[in-house]
Amino acid sequence: MYLPSATESAVEKETTTNKEVHRKNKENQKQDNCMATVDQKVTIDCPWSIYSTIIALTFCIPFNAKHSLLSAGKRKYVQVCVQNLSELCFQLSDNSLKNSADCTDLQLVPLNPESQQVIYSKQSIFFVWELKWTKELPLSLQCLFSVSFCPATSEEQSLTLKPFTYEFQVENFFTLYHVKTEIFPPLGAEYCKTGSLCSLEVSITRLVDLSEVDRDEALTESD
């Protein structure tokens, strides 16, 4: 996404005070948007002029993505979070997650709605896939996430944009511990009530069948 900015020729004509104000406004704009930016410069040369015009272009990345691995018993899930960093609203469609290694024993089953979704400014949307395997899980998983997007406004939906992609790798996704929590009401009470002091019991069980995998390297490299 391109955000217009002043040309260098125009900036050079400003006074020192105006330059400082322009720089602070630009920095504040980047901080408010919280968007990753890429600055480029384009030089325009005219055959009938000895001067070159330099135009500064600032391209902003509208989305930020991050992934996490979820476990529930013996079932595992890959979650991708897409955050809208821009001030615009977009319409997302055709989300997919592919395994770059093309492992035939592993399936990524989507648990997402097939309909289009609108992601508003500063909003995050989560996509989840369940991992299903027939033999055993590979040591690492190379994933490529892709989702198509376009501006949510009707007058700009005709724009053709490339899909947003996010590539990541998952390693050491062994289940090392089983965690169970339970809240108990106070002594003599039947239910938990607001304002009453209740006890929280947390049970952490180390899985014995993964003793060979439970090494120092696996513990330090795992989240």
Side-chain angles (χ1 to χ4, degrees):
M1 295 174 54
Y2 164 66
L3 292 183
S5 58
T7 60
E8 283 198 358
S9 59
V11 174
E12 290 174 356
K13 296 179 181 179
E14 295 178 350
T15 61
T16 306
T17 305
N18 290 336
K19 285 183 180 180
E20 186 68 17
V21 171
H22 177 76
R23 183 183 62 83
K24 289 184 178 180
N25 290 338
K26 190 173 182 180
E27 290 179 354
N28 293 334
Q29 182 182 8
K30 289 185 178 181
Q31 293 177 359
D32 293 339
N33 291 338
C34 297
M35 298 175 65
T37 59
V38 178
D39 295 328
Q40 299 287 349
K41 294 181 180 180
V42 177
T43 303
I44 300 178
D45 296 324
C46 297
W48 53 84
S49 176
I50 61 175
Y51 301 103
S52 298
T53 302
I54 300 178
I55 300 178
L57 303 178
T58 301
F59 293 91
C60 296
I61 301 175
F63 301 116
N64 179 40
K66 58 182 179 180
H67 67 279
S68 59
L69 186 71
L70 310 177
S71 296
K74 295 183 178 180
R75 307 175 69 177
K76 297 183 184 297
Y77 305 87
V78 175
Q79 177 180 274
V80 177
C81 172
V82 177
Q83 182 184 11
N84 185 2
L85 302 179
S86 69
E87 301 294 336
L88 303 177
C89 300
F90 295 99
Q91 193 165 282
L92 305 181
S93 61
D94 301 330
N95 61 83
S96 66
L97 182 65
K98 296 181 180 180
N99 180 20
S100 303
D102 292 333
C103 183
T104 57
D105 299 332
L106 182 66
Q107 283 186 322
L108 293 169
V109 181
L111 304 178
N112 313 300
E114 297 182 359
S115 59
Q116 297 179 344
Q117 293 179 283
V118 176
I119 180 170
Y120 297 94
S121 175
K122 313 303 180 184
Q123 184 191 18
S124 298
I125 288 185
F126 296 86
F127 301 93
V128 180
W129 286 263
E130 182 178 0
L131 288 172
K132 290 188 176 182
W133 59 95
T134 55
K135 296 182 180 179
E136 60 182 12
L137 282 173
L139 297 178
S140 63
L141 191 64
Q142 299 281 348
C143 296
L144 178 62
F145 170 77
S146 175
V147 61
S148 301
F149 70 99
C150 66
T153 54
S154 57
E155 60 271 11
E156 295 179 346
Q157 286 186 357
S158 59
L159 295 177
T160 303
L161 302 174
K162 291 183 178 181
F164 172 76
T165 59
Y166 170 62
E167 188 173 0
F168 60 94
Q169 181 177 354
V170 180
E171 293 181 345
N172 295 328
F173 42 85
F174 305 102
T175 303
L176 302 179
Y177 298 95
H178 178 264
V179 182
K180 181 181 179 181
T181 61
E182 192 172 357
I183 300 178
F184 297 95
L187 293 176
E190 185 178 1
Y191 303 105
C192 296
K193 296 182 180 180
T194 303
S196 61
L197 183 61
C198 303
S199 60
L200 170 66
E201 182 179 298
V202 180
S203 173
I204 302 177
T205 306
R206 178 174 174 176
L207 302 182
V208 182
D209 56 343
L210 292 178
S211 57
E212 296 181 359
V213 181
D214 191 4
R215 298 188 299 266
D216 293 338
E217 292 81 3
L219 288 174
T220 54
E221 294 179 5
S222 175
D223 290 336

